[in-house]
DNA sequence: GTACTTGTTGAACG
DNA sequence: TCGTTCAACAAGTA
């Protein structure tokens, strides 16, 4: 599942591969996934690539910006030469560049999308307008967390940190891992989290996301990076999808519950 | 054949 | 109006 570390890894890959290249042709194979007319980006040059929450923004030199959300199973894979595997039946769109390289948008479940906006409208579009601060920004402070938590006292802490309007970029994997790292049970209500625990949780979120970026993301499902390679972070996950296996921190076993309709993994001995 | 997987949105409820 | 819960979307894997 592409969360912040996976999307950040893809961003870094795109910065190495498609900056300053001209999109000579754009092929939209699925109108559910591509929400604009291909001719609106053809013959424009890629100026810069950004990440916001779990979304990628490709800024073009015609004052337009491409917004890409990979949702559950989206991939963005760049290939200078055809490796014979891609495109396949899950390829929903193809960018063709002036040097002969191509960027494939693959999405098995078709939840992802590619949209086009005017660069100057970007701050006010629905996808970005309500997002909470990035975990690596100074706005992601203890004071901010406490202040937001005060407004949703009875919410469970896992649902709180996964809320994109509160913090940008945390999904199911990194929520479970951050809470394990902070030794906090995912079911705790935010009104019962002490100040010292907020401090720990904030540090754990930053540490786990940093680790995720360092290892190039978690390939627990369909995730691949810009070059078609798996990440390595799933080798270091301590609770996510490790139900019934021994806890790495104690003699207990990892348990699984459903919280907010999502699989939630934790160690009942290490986390309190 | 059935259960399970998840990011986001919007409906429904109190 | 607000907070919260839940279904829906999709299609593969176990």
């Amino acid at each position: 599942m592409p969360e912040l570390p996976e999307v950040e890894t893809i961003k870094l890959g795109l910065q190495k591969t498609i900056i300053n290249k001209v999109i000579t042709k754009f092929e939209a194979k699925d109108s559910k996934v591509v929400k604009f007319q291909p001719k609106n980006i053809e013959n424009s040059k890629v100026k810069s690539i950004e990440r916001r929450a779990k979304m990628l923004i490709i800024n073009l030199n015609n004052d337009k910006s491409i917004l890409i959300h990979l949702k559950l199973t989206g991939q963005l894979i760049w290939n200078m030469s055809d490796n014979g595997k891609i495109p396949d039946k899950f390829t929903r769109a193809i960018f063709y560049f002036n040097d002969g390289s191509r960027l494939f948008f693959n999405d098995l479940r078709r939840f992802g999308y590619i949209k086009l906006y005017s660069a100057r409208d970007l701050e006010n579009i629905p996808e970005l307008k309500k997002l909470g601060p990035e975990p690596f920004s100074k706005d992601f402070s203890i004071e901010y967390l406490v202040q937001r938590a005060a407004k949703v006292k009875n919410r469970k802490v896992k649902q709180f940190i996964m809320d994109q309007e509160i913090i940008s970029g945390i999904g199911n994997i990194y929520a479970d891992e951050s809470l394990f790292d902070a030794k906090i049970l995912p079911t705790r209500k935010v009104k019962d989290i002490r100040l010292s625990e907020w401090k720990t949780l904030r540090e754990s979120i930053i540490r786990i996301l940093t680790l995720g970026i360092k290892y190039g993301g978690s390939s627990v499902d369909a995730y691949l990076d810009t070059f078609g390679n798996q990440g390595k972070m799933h080798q270091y996950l301590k609770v996510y999808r490790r139900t019934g296996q021994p806890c790495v921190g104690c003699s207990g076993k990892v348990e699984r519950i459903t919280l907010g309709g999502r699989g939630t993994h934790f160690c009942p001995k290490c986390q309190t």
Side-chain angles (χ1 to χ4, degrees), chain A residues 188-205:
Chain A
R188 293 267 300 282
K189 290 184 176 181
V190 295
K191 68 179 176 188
D192 299 326
I193 305 285
R194 294 185 298 270
L195 189 60
S196 63
E197 292 177 312
W198 282 120
K199 201 177 167 199
T200 307
L201 180 56
R202 177 181 169 278
E203 287 168 359
S204 289
I205 287 169

Side-chain angles (χ1 to χ4, degrees), chain A residues 75-263:
Chain A
Q75 303 170 332
L76 272 173
I77 298 176
W78 178 82
N79 265 347
M80 180 63 85
S81 60
D82 193 346
N83 68 357
K85 291 183 192 167
I86 295 171
D88 60 22
K89 64 176 174 175
F90 305 125
T91 302
R92 313 298 179 186
I94 307 173
F95 298 82
Y96 296 82
F97 297 100
N98 58 323
D99 65 344
S101 64
R102 293 173 291 175
L103 182 67
F104 301 97
F105 180 88
N106 287 352
D107 189 1
L108 186 149
R109 289 182 212 175
R110 300 166 70 223
F111 275 22
Y113 55 77
I114 309 178
K115 295 184 181 182
L116 191 64
Y117 288 103
S118 289
R120 75 181 79 86
D121 296 340
L122 222 48
E123 283 306 306
N124 292 313
I125 65 171
E127 289 90 344
L128 301 179
K129 194 167 61 177
K130 295 170 81 177
L131 287 175
E134 289 285 332
F136 298 122
S137 74
K138 64 175 177 5
D139 293 339
F140 179 52
S141 63
I142 306 294
E143 296 75 25
Y144 171 77
L145 285 173
V146 169
Q147 170 225 321
R148 291 301 298 258
K151 292 176 189 161
V152 287
K153 297 186 173 74
N154 290 310
R155 199 183 298 184
K156 294 181 174 67
V157 64
K158 178 178 175 184
Q159 291 167 302
F160 179 80
I161 64 170
M162 279 180 69
D163 186 336
Q164 301 302 299
E165 296 185 16
I166 291 173
I167 311 166
S168 289
I170 301 173
N172 212 27
I173 300 172
Y174 295 96
D176 282 1
E177 293 297 317
S178 296
L179 287 164
F180 176 82
D181 192 72
K183 298 182 172 7
I184 296 170
L185 284 172
T187 48
R188 293 267 300 282
K189 290 184 176 181
V190 295
K191 68 179 176 188
D192 299 326
I193 305 285
R194 294 185 298 270
L195 189 60
S196 63
E197 292 177 312
W198 282 120
K199 201 177 167 199
T200 307
L201 180 56
R202 177 181 169 278
E203 287 168 359
S204 289
I205 287 169
I206 292 170
R207 175 162 52 245
I208 296 296
L209 292 175
T210 302
L211 208 60
I213 295 168
K214 177 184 170 187
Y215 288 117
S218 308
S219 290
V220 290
D221 226 346
Y223 168 73
L224 296 175
D225 69 18
T226 317
F227 305 98
N229 300 316
Q230 291 200 338
K232 293 191 175 72
M233 181 62 185
H234 53 286
Q235 299 169 21
Y236 302 93
L237 299 180
K238 294 177 175 171
V239 288
Y240 183 77
R241 289 198 193 173
R242 291 192 68 251
T243 312
Q245 294 180 45
C247 173
V248 296
C250 74
S251 55
K253 281 185 178 175
V254 175
E255 287 190 16
R256 181 189 178 279
I257 57 170
T258 300
L259 197 161
R262 298 294 173 237

